[in-house]
């Protein structure tokens, strides 16, 4: 669904919509250390002493200085999110889990973990088996346990209303 007048990648451009106040938060974080370092350097203090007093390395000082320079231009500091995220890979355990679950669709993560350890020699914790089951459900390889499919009992609103009215009338 496209909203008229907005670019299709608008959700990716959130960094450009940040206000100056948001940039000020970053500026305050980096300014103190850079100011202290520059004040000490103006007094002809060596770098190793500056590191001890300011509590940051020389490389950190220059990195913070560069970030402040970029902030003054209006750009946002670099993200600290890792570029490459490791994806879980279970391999053989995943295939065995699918097999066990299809044979016994009512078994939960606890029971499946025990069966995998006992019969197949796969040592997986219950939480890992649970994560595996969730990912397999999302992929469509395994269905939710039939015993887990319970319907909620509908409330009897008329009966509840009658009880409420009778209590009010009795008072």
């Amino acid at each position: 669904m496209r909203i008229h007048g907005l670019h299709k990648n608008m959700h990716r451009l959130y960094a450009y919509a940040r206000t100056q106040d948001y940039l000020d938060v970053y500026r305050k974080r980096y300014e103190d250390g850079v100011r202290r370092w520059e004040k000490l350097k103006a007094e002809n203090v060596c770098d190793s002493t500056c590191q001890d007093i300011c509590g940051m390395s020389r490389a950190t000082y220059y990195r913070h200085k560069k970030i402040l320079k970029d902030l003054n231009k209006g750009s946002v500091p670099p993200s600290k999110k890792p570029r490459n995220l490791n994806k879980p890979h279970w391999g053989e355990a995943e295939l065995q889990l699918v097999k066990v679950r299809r044979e016994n669709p009512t078994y939960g993560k606890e029971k499946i973990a025990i069966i995998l350890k006992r019969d197949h020699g796969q040592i997986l914790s219950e939480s890992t088996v649970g994560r595996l089951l969730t990912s397999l459900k999302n992929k469509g390889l395994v269905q939710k346990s039939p015993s887990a499919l319970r319907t909620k009992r509908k409330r009897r609103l008329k009966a509840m209303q009658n009880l409420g009215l009778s209590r009010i009338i009795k008072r």
Side-chain angles (χ1 to χ4, degrees):
M1 184 168 96
R2 186 169 178 183
I3 301 171
H4 296 288
L6 294 178
H7 190 267
K8 64 181 179 181
N9 291 331
M10 192 62 182
H11 63 281
R12 292 183 184 170
L13 304 175
Y14 69 94
Y16 298 110
R18 290 184 176 152
T19 62
Q20 193 63 32
D21 296 335
Y22 192 76
L23 295 177
D24 285 340
V25 172
Y26 281 112
R27 196 172 285 117
K28 286 177 187 174
R29 182 185 304 167
Y30 299 119
E31 270 181 351
D32 293 336
V34 171
R35 278 188 190 157
R36 276 188 272 143
W37 189 284
E38 289 173 349
K39 194 175 189 180
L40 290 169
K41 287 304 284 182
E43 297 172 3
N44 294 327
V45 178
C46 67
D47 287 343
S48 60
T49 310
C50 288
Q51 288 179 12
D52 295 336
I53 294 172
C54 293
M56 71 171 133
S57 68
R58 203 175 81 135
T60 305
Y61 160 70
Y62 284 109
R63 188 172 57 249
H64 286 191
K65 191 174 176 181
K66 181 183 180 296
I67 289 171
L68 282 172
K69 184 179 172 185
D70 292 343
L71 281 172
N72 290 334
K73 290 180 183 176
S75 66
V76 180
S79 173
K80 293 183 180 180
K81 181 182 175 185
R83 290 190 182 118
N84 298 322
L85 297 174
N86 293 332
K87 293 182 180 177
H89 50 282
W90 293 290
E92 184 72 24
E94 190 173 11
L95 299 172
Q96 291 174 351
L97 190 138
V98 170
K99 187 175 142 188
V100 170
R101 181 59 184 253
R102 286 186 178 164
E103 289 172 3
N104 308 297
T106 58
Y107 286 0
K109 61 182 180 179
E110 298 88 4
K111 206 172 239 187
I112 290 175
I114 293 169
I115 290 171
L116 287 174
K117 183 178 180 184
R118 184 187 66 200
D119 298 342
H120 303 286
Q122 288 284 340
I123 300 172
L124 296 174
S125 68
E126 293 174 8
S127 57
T128 303
V129 172
R131 282 192 293 271
L132 254 168
L133 283 172
T134 303
S135 70
L136 291 172
K137 284 177 200 171
N138 292 339
K139 290 178 185 176
L141 297 173
V142 171
Q143 292 182 351
K144 197 170 183 178
S145 171
S147 61
L149 296 173
R150 295 184 181 139
T151 58
K152 287 188 176 182
R153 192 171 61 174
K154 293 183 180 179
R155 294 190 296 174
R156 299 178 192 168
L157 294 176
K158 289 180 182 177
M160 290 174 68
Q161 288 173 353
N162 291 340
L163 287 174
L165 291 175
S166 63
R167 287 182 187 162
I168 294 172
I169 294 171
K170 286 180 183 178
R171 288 184 187 173

